[in-house]
Amino acid sequence: MIQDVMAWVLLAAVAAYACAGGTDYGAGFWDLFAGGAERGKRPRWLIDHAMEPVWETNNVWLIFVLVIMWTGFPVLFQTIFTAMWLPLALAAVGLVLRGAGFALRKPMTRLARRRIYGAAFAVSSLLVPFFLGAVVGGLATGRVAPGTKASADAWANGTSVLAGLLTVAATAFLGAVFLTADARRFDAPDLVHYFRLRAWCSLGVIAVLAVVGLAVTHHDAHYVHEGLTSGIGLALVLVAAVSAVATAGLLYRTATGWARITAVGSVALVVVAWGLAQRPYLIPTSLTVDQAAGASTTLRWLLLVTAIAMVLVGPPLVLLYRLDTSGALQPLAENDLRRTAANRDPGTDR
Amino acid sequence: MNSAIAIMADTPPQLLPARELMAFTLASHILLVPFGVALPAITLLMHYRGLRKGDAVALLLARRWSAVMAVQFAIGIVTGTVLSFEFGLLWPGLMGRWGDVFGLGFGVEAWAFFLEAILIAIYLYGWRRLKPWTHFWLGLPLPLTALMGAFGIIAANSWMNTPRGFSLDADGNPVDVDVRRAIFTPMFGPEYWHFVAGVILTAGYVVAGVYAVGWLRGRHDHYHRLGFTVPFTVAAILTPVQFMLGDSIARSVFHKQPVKFAATEIVWKTDTHVPEYMFGRLHPDGTISGGIKIPQLDSILAGFSPDTQVTGLSSVPASDRPTATQATIAHWAFDIMVTIGSLLVLLALWYGWCWLRRRDLPRSPWFFRCAAVAGAACLVTVECGWITTEVGRQPWIVYENMRVSEAVTDTRASSLWAMLGIVIVVYTLILGTFLAVLLKMRTRWRAADEQHAGADVAGTPEGDTPYGPRRTTAAAAPDHGTAHGDGGGQ
């Protein structure tokens, strides 16, 4: 019982990472394809400003996913990290390059150096979601079981590659939708148009990949395929599809606030549908939730910690996103340092 | 000698690269930890002073430190995420078997860290638009979240040192997990407080050191005095406290992990009236060369009496204790830490003496020279403390329950060596750039200050970066406008 609840929490954390982290990777994806230094200047400016205050928060979800995994389902953690060694190692290297690239490119003054760090950030924004998606795809095929040694076969197969590509496309979609909204927020009509077009394109790519995926997974990942094409799994996928189409329509009417919600909804629903399709397995068809679960006392405590944390973290998280979307969060510039320090603060001080 | 060969034969080839990789990434990450944990607290202290006294200089310092925090926190997140990957990539055996026993600490840490990331974003990016006191209060929980995060990590590490809260079934797997006992293990308290004091004083000395250098170069202004005094006072108060805490943790190790204590003090034979060696080198046959020998002292330090019996390394089979080389490493790390700690106590006393007598900073340039070096010395002690606790525990990853070699991944050694190579190159680049960015920020700020003092001197060519001054002359007017206007997109 408790292990099922924890499995849901894990799935929720994965969905949260897919949405928050996904948006963040998507911004990096568009940074990569923004063109040369001159042509890509404005999109990159928007990407920087939109991501800056929230990117750390977006990416901490991943740590949470890992911690729930090894505390709640240690066997699952051990199995995944043993069998999928290479893609996960590459994803880890990608995460370093990405974070450092993003954090360090701005303080760089020379264009050449900015380019190097910008490239590290952008390229790894593409690679990390690809490898993480490939891991998930590999798990779905049932090629991995507890005790499986690291092998290329586990993650270099049709389903894995497709899942990787689909993940990248989904991040691109989320990124474009959010950047369209940010472009509106920052009053840049040209960029609204720019990113809206990209959101539509990535939605098209997702549709194509999904159709291909149906064919590929039919034999290769039969269990999950069944789960996603029948019953509640299918229902969720359909709602997700409707939600994605609605996003396209809302973008057309530049109702960007709603578009963000439907876009996040569609991605989250697909993740939940995938989780449902795997039931009762964490790794189909070799490791069930019950088999993978750790000690039930630990799970109870983990749930308690999660509940307390949600009460503590929830309000600040809402506050952060509200402050961010209302434009109350801005990076410091030295000019502000000097002037406001000298003139403004003592004045407004009560 | 035979036993050493037996151990070597027992060692999988991937053990060495896995260890090196973990050691390298942790050693790098741990240098950032003091700032992640303590810089928000020191900054908030300065921030409070600025708001309370209407001191523009204090506010300026707080803002600049928060700009440093922004870059530091970003790099810290990156290196920290790598560590959580490495638990799986390098030590799947540890996590698979023990994850549910000791993982909860990480759960606490992950949430605390999440909260910290949120609050730090609000704090860092709220300077321009939030009301001053609202902004301060929103930042105030930051040190608490940092302490909470440290709680989780130290709980996990202290569990590895003194594992409890489970029993083993017939196959040797842990059952009957008792989470409370697993978190509050005997080493937890000593490790936690030693860590907390250590990181705060390290951050304090490093920050103060920067202004000590400025002071030595003749910049005796309010800005440098404040930038030096606030962090240095915090660190100086904690230094003697840390000395006591260090003594207490050493005694806890003596009681709870006697073999580790024997390694850090290179004690070979269980005996009373054991001498203390300052440095020196332990050989596999139990002899010691070099170093300074102080008769009886080790027994006295361990149990306040020369009659105290100290357990020696030879009390357990060779396969269950650190090798002579590992013991020597742990011993040197321990001695370096203690030596630096003692010198810092003297420095703190010097400062305290002058403050009590004259309510002023010491005048001697030697004081500032020492203060400038203190930060770097503290970072060395952080590394040494970590080496002592990790190397001293060898060959156990879970003390007396699982060897490092049982936990290691079975991925080929060559992949791990390749990964180590990549990580060294990437980390060197990142940490190098990080330092370069900090130095550049300092240069820019100094330029901005000098220009501010000398009114309208021609601007230096600057790029638009959020961390340094924007183009100081030409762009000053529009930027000024933005700061007071709606802010818009800039």
Side-chain angles (χ1 to χ4, degrees):
Chain A
M1 191 58 223
I2 182 84
Q3 52 269 42
D4 290 322
V5 178
M6 215 53 231
W8 280 106
V9 174
L10 177 60
L11 187 64
V14 172
Y17 181 56
C19 294
T23 308
D24 204 70
Y25 289 119
F29 180 90
W30 295 119
D31 191 291
L32 182 63
F33 293 103
E38 205 39 53
R39 197 154 61 88
K41 201 171 191 177
R42 275 182 60 76
R44 288 209 177 92
W45 161 83
L46 180 69
I47 288 165
D48 260 2
H49 278 258
M51 278 173 68
E52 221 168 25
V54 286
W55 79 271
E56 273 142 354
T57 312
N58 284 344
N59 286 292
V60 175
W61 285 109
L62 175 61
I63 296 183
F64 192 56
V65 170
L66 295 178
V67 169
I68 295 185
M69 228 196 262
W70 77 53
T71 310
F73 306 97
V75 181
L76 172 72
F77 184 78
Q78 181 173 13
T79 306
I80 293 180
F81 272 83
T82 306
M84 299 287 188
W85 198 88
L86 192 59
L88 288 169
L90 292 173
V93 173
L95 280 168
V96 180
L97 288 174
R98 183 175 194 274
F102 182 67
L104 295 177
R105 84 163 156 180
K106 285 166 295 169
M108 290 288 138
T109 37
R110 278 198 215 132
L111 183 65
R113 293 224 183 118
R114 259 172 190 251
R115 273 209 180 118
I116 294 174
Y117 281 89
F121 159 69
V123 171
S124 37
S125 293
L126 191 127
L127 292 181
V128 176
F130 176 80
F131 286 124
L132 293 179
V135 167
V136 169
L139 290 179
T141 63
R143 285 180 169 84
V144 175
T148 306
K149 302 245 189 251
S151 79
D153 177 55
W155 62 281
N157 55 69
T159 309
S160 271
V161 172
L162 194 91
L165 291 176
L166 206 52
T167 313
V168 173
T171 63
F173 169 63
L174 279 174
V177 171
F178 272 75
L179 286 167
T180 313
D182 290 321
R184 259 196 84 192
R185 173 154 70 85
F186 285 113
D187 246 350
D190 57 323
L191 289 177
V192 170
H193 186 71
Y194 179 96
F195 282 114
R196 187 168 62 181
L197 191 66
R198 277 153 179 77
W200 287 335
C201 290
S202 32
L203 204 53
V205 173
I206 292 176
V208 172
L209 285 172
V211 173
V212 176
L214 254 128
V216 173
T217 54
H218 186 67
H219 287 294
D220 202 27
H222 191 67
Y223 192 86
V224 176
H225 181 90
E226 281 289 296
L228 285 174
T229 51
S230 63
I232 185 141
L234 180 65
L236 286 176
V237 171
L238 288 177
V239 177
V242 170
S243 183
V245 172
T247 312
L250 287 164
L251 285 179
Y252 180 71
R253 298 179 49 200
T254 53
T256 48
W258 288 104
R260 278 195 302 218
I261 294 172
T262 51
V264 164
S266 61
V267 171
L269 282 171
V270 170
V271 173
V272 172
W274 158 69
L276 272 172
Q278 294 216 60
R279 244 181 359 169
Y281 295 105
L282 284 174
I283 303 176
T285 49
S286 59
L287 187 68
T288 62
V289 170
D290 289 349
Q291 289 163 346
S296 56
T297 33
T298 306
L299 290 176
R300 272 200 293 278
W301 277 93
L302 188 59
L303 202 62
L304 180 71
V305 168
T306 310
I308 295 173
M310 256 155 42
V311 173
L312 289 177
V313 172
L317 189 64
V318 172
L319 179 70
L320 172 68
Y321 284 127
R322 281 193 57 175
L323 287 175
D324 183 44
T325 43
S326 68
L329 298 180
Q330 310 229 338
L332 275 179
E334 175 65 15
N335 220 341
D336 310 305
L337 286 183
R338 268 259 76 104
R339 282 203 175 71
T340 49
N343 307 330
R344 201 175 73 160
D345 283 341
T348 42
D349 187 4
R350 277 153 298 163
Chain B
M1 201 57 207
N2 277 337
S3 57
I5 291 167
I7 298 166
M8 291 294 280
D10 210 24
T11 305
Q14 60 270 37
L15 186 61
L16 184 62
R19 245 184 196 154
E20 299 295 315
L21 184 51
M22 193 72 193
F24 179 76
T25 43
L26 248 172
S28 313
H29 180 70
I30 211 169
L31 288 176
L32 296 167
V33 169
F35 307 100
V37 175
L39 198 54
I42 297 176
T43 305
L44 282 163
L45 193 62
M46 190 60 95
H47 191 169
Y48 179 77
R49 193 191 157 101
L51 288 178
R52 197 61 209 259
K53 301 195 168 179
D55 186 341
V57 172
L59 279 177
L60 180 65
L61 279 164
R63 281 163 197 246
R64 286 184 173 173
W65 292 350
S66 77
V68 174
M69 233 153 74
V71 196
Q72 180 277 323
F73 195 69
I75 305 292
I77 282 209
V78 165
T79 53
T81 309
V82 169
L83 289 177
S84 46
F85 266 82
E86 282 182 349
F87 286 135
L89 292 173
L90 303 179
W91 318 109
L94 170 72
M95 306 317 284
R97 181 182 285 188
W98 304 101
D100 57 342
V101 185
F102 82 119
L104 193 73
F106 290 112
V108 173
E109 192 271 347
W111 277 115
F113 189 51
F114 192 32
L115 193 56
E116 192 179 358
I118 296 171
L119 291 171
I120 217 161
I122 295 177
Y123 186 68
L124 291 179
Y125 296 97
W127 279 106
R128 286 172 112 177
R129 307 299 293 273
L130 296 174
K131 284 193 185 135
W133 280 102
T134 314
H135 180 229
F136 174 79
W137 289 116
L138 283 174
L140 200 60
L142 265 176
L144 295 179
T145 60
L147 289 181
M148 199 65 208
F151 170 93
I153 290 292
I154 298 294
N157 184 267
S158 64
W159 181 86
M160 288 161 73
N161 279 307
T162 42
R164 289 198 319 178
F166 60 91
S167 42
L168 296 176
D169 66 6
D171 302 330
N173 287 316
V175 288
D176 302 329
V177 175
D178 181 342
V179 170
R180 265 172 300 183
R181 274 173 60 85
I183 285 194
F184 297 100
T185 59
M187 280 312 288
F188 173 73
E191 265 197 46
Y192 183 68
W193 295 113
H194 188 63
F195 171 86
V196 169
V199 292
I200 298 178
L201 73 88
T202 301
Y205 280 130
V206 171
V207 175
V210 173
Y211 298 92
V213 173
W215 193 269
L216 281 170
R217 291 186 182 159
R219 290 186 254 279
H220 296 200
D221 47 15
H222 182 49
Y223 178 82
H224 280 83
R225 171 180 289 268
L226 204 57
F228 178 83
T229 312
V230 170
F232 195 87
T233 307
V234 171
I237 291 171
L238 276 176
T239 306
V241 176
Q242 176 72 333
F243 201 76
M244 297 294 151
L245 290 171
D247 182 60
S248 129
I249 191 174
R251 207 160 295 118
S252 301
V253 172
F254 170 68
H255 288 296
K256 306 294 178 191
Q257 294 179 278
V259 177
K260 184 192 220 174
F261 186 81
T264 51
E265 297 283 30
I266 45 173
V267 179
W268 185 254
K269 241 176 69 210
T270 306
D271 205 353
T272 55
H273 304 273
V274 177
E276 170 86 22
Y277 279 91
M278 291 287 286
F279 302 97
R281 180 164 164 228
L282 180 70
H283 297 279
D285 60 359
T287 56
I288 292 167
S289 58
I292 304 162
K293 181 179 178 181
I294 307 166
Q296 314 253 12
L297 186 64
D298 197 40
S299 284
I300 297 173
L301 287 175
F304 305 113
S305 146
D307 294 328
T308 309
Q309 179 172 316
V310 180
T311 307
L313 281 169
S314 59
S315 64
V316 290
S319 60
D320 289 355
R321 66 181 187 227
T323 62
T325 314
Q326 287 166 342
T328 306
I329 292 173
H331 176 63
W332 272 70
F334 181 70
D335 279 4
I336 292 172
M337 174 169 68
V338 173
T339 309
I340 294 178
S342 313
L343 293 174
L344 287 175
V345 171
L346 295 180
L347 186 68
L349 288 176
W350 187 353
Y351 178 73
W353 174 248
C354 290
W355 197 258
L356 282 178
R357 271 184 52 209
R358 297 189 280 107
R359 300 268 150 207
D360 198 6
L361 298 175
R363 291 193 191 114
S364 163
W366 277 106
F367 171 77
F368 287 96
R369 277 175 206 146
C370 294
V373 180
C378 267
L379 287 172
V380 173
T381 64
V382 168
E383 294 283 6
C384 285
W386 165 70
I387 291 172
T388 309
T389 196
E390 296 302 298
V391 178
R393 196 182 57 230
Q394 299 301 325
W396 304 104
I397 196 163
V398 180
Y399 194 57
E400 291 178 343
N401 275 279
M402 183 186 248
R403 282 169 214 281
V404 181
S405 55
E406 295 168 74
V408 76
T409 175
D410 51 15
T411 297
R412 272 174 314 172
S414 54
S415 315
L416 290 171
W417 283 116
M419 176 98 171
L420 176 63
I422 295 171
V423 167
I424 289 180
V425 171
V426 169
Y427 270 43
T428 311
L429 277 176
I430 291 177
L431 294 176
T433 317
F434 173 57
L435 272 183
V437 164
L438 290 187
L439 289 176
K440 199 178 269 175
M441 276 156 84
R442 187 199 60 173
T443 316
R444 254 179 234 159
W445 287 340
R446 191 180 297 156
D449 287 346
E450 276 159 13
Q451 199 167 27
H452 190 73
D456 273 330
V457 188
T460 47
E462 296 281 358
D464 271 349
T465 85
Y467 299 122
R470 294 196 177 172
R471 233 174 293 279
T472 22
T473 44
D479 256 11
H480 189 183
T482 350
H484 287 270
D486 64 354
Q490 269 299 343

